[in-house]
Amino acid sequence: MLRKVVKKILGNNLPFLTSVVEVRKYWEDHNVTQHKEFLTVAESLNYLDWRNDQYPGYIELMPHRNFDNLTILDYGCGPGHDLVGLGTFSKPKKLIGADVSRVSLEESKKRLNMHKIEADLIAIDPKKSQIEIPENSVDYINCSGVLHHIDDEKSVIKEFHRILKPGGTGRIMIYNYDSIWVHLYVAYTKKICDPSFKDLSLKQAFTKTTDGINCPIAKCYTPEEFIKILQESGFEAKFCGAAASLFELSLIKDIPVALMHQDLPAESRKFLLDLTYDSKLIPSWKNNVAGIDAVFEIRKL
């Protein structure tokens, strides 16, 4: 009933309702730990270590160490995964976590209390891009796997610029278009082998593959596209590299069969043919790891 009333009022603006109301609901039901309850510090740290190992090389791109005496914002902190890492392996002056999910913030609070890590936790209003933090007050922003789930990521990036101190830095992970995930898992495994994905575009299909089939927003970017967005917001920006998930690595065996299929898009076929591999069989494309997690460094001039 409420949805029908709001639809009558908003008319064609109903997609905005979806991005505001349903996004929060989705992320309150879904988080990276699947609402796991940690009973001991050791269990929590073991889980942190295990999850980082699912993406070889990722923790080097999004580190938790060497942030002593800094004011740090973890934007999209979820149930406190990176907050635990930053609070354990660094000694921040101040640690701030912000998330749209009130459920995840409660889980984060409980986990941090167990670790005896102090942090300010902020609920993000999904109707606003504004972050309730004073301008020029943050030294470092950690943002892992969040901006690709936001309808207007550019407004949030501008907020990052506002709250960072001059010379302040950050690391941002977003989903990488130039990846095994996109050009093998989505382009072949889903769009060709799964009839329910057949009529979707590559990016439409991608939305349903990363964080649950009903995930309301999930984008991917080439490094060049995302660097441009960061620079347009006033940042000095660089692409630090990408990490491939173990799931992606498990699919590499399917590349020959995918390449033989006539319906595989030419772009994806050429991408897969151009891959090179290191001694650990990690695939690269144009000298960058061809993984789903692309990491960028920002600096406020």
Side-chain angles (χ1 to χ4, degrees), residues 230-248:
L230 295 171
Q231 291 175 338
E232 287 174 349
S233 296
F235 282 114
E236 180 182 275
K238 71 174 183 179
F239 175 45
C240 300
S245 63
L246 292 180
F247 176 71
E248 287 174 284

Side-chain angles (χ1 to χ4, degrees), residues 104-245:
S104 287
L105 288 173
E106 282 300 315
E107 293 175 11
S108 182
K109 181 179 179 180
K110 185 175 181 180
R111 193 173 175 190
L112 290 167
N113 285 342
M114 183 179 66
H115 282 268
K116 294 182 170 53
I117 295 172
E118 293 185 6
D120 292 343
L121 300 178
I122 300 172
I124 297 170
D125 185 341
K127 299 187 295 295
K128 301 176 182 177
S129 58
Q130 184 175 358
I131 306 169
E132 298 300 324
I133 296 175
E135 64 181 58
N136 301 324
S137 63
V138 172
D139 295 293
Y140 181 78
I141 293 174
N142 181 87
C143 184
S144 177
V146 178
L147 294 186
H148 48 232
H149 293 308
I150 295 175
D151 187 44
D152 185 7
E153 71 278 22
K154 294 179 182 179
S155 293
V156 175
I157 292 169
K158 289 178 181 177
E159 274 292 280
F160 287 177
H161 193 275
R162 181 185 68 82
I163 65 175
L164 271 177
K165 297 176 182 178
T169 62
R171 290 277 176 114
I172 299 171
M173 184 278 275
I174 50 90
Y175 289 145
N176 184 20
Y177 183 81
D178 297 338
S179 63
I180 289 285
W181 193 289
V182 170
H183 293 292
L184 179 59
Y185 181 56
V186 179
Y188 172 70
T189 307
K190 302 309 291 184
K191 278 190 50 62
I192 292 176
C193 299
D194 186 337
S196 66
F197 283 75
K198 180 181 177 182
D199 295 328
L200 300 177
S201 71
L202 190 65
K203 287 194 173 182
Q204 286 172 335
F206 175 86
T207 296
K208 298 178 177 294
T209 63
T210 57
D211 297 83
I213 196 166
N214 295 316
C215 183
I217 302 170
K219 308 174 189 179
C220 57
Y221 312 76
T222 66
E224 294 79 10
E225 287 171 338
F226 201 68
I227 285 285
K228 183 179 179 182
I229 291 171
L230 295 171
Q231 291 175 338
E232 287 174 349
S233 296
F235 282 114
E236 180 182 275
K238 71 174 183 179
F239 175 45
C240 300
S245 63

Side-chain angles (χ1 to χ4, degrees), residues 180 183-185 188-189 192-193 248-265 268-275 277 283:
I180 289 285
H183 293 292
L184 179 59
Y185 181 56
Y188 172 70
T189 307
I192 292 176
C193 299
E248 287 174 284
L249 300 184
S250 76
L251 299 174
I252 289 174
K253 66 184 185 306
D254 298 331
I255 288 178
V257 176
L259 288 171
M260 288 189 289
H261 204 291
Q262 191 172 356
D263 290 339
L264 187 73
S268 295
R269 184 176 70 250
K270 291 174 182 177
F271 177 91
L272 296 175
L273 284 169
D274 285 345
L275 292 174
Y277 301 86

Side-chain angles (χ1 to χ4, degrees), residues 44-45 48 80-89 111-112 115 117:
S44 174
L45 291 178
L48 176 69
H81 207 59
D82 287 338
L83 290 174
V84 167
L86 290 163
T88 299
F89 300 110
R111 193 173 175 190
L112 290 167
H115 282 268
I117 295 172

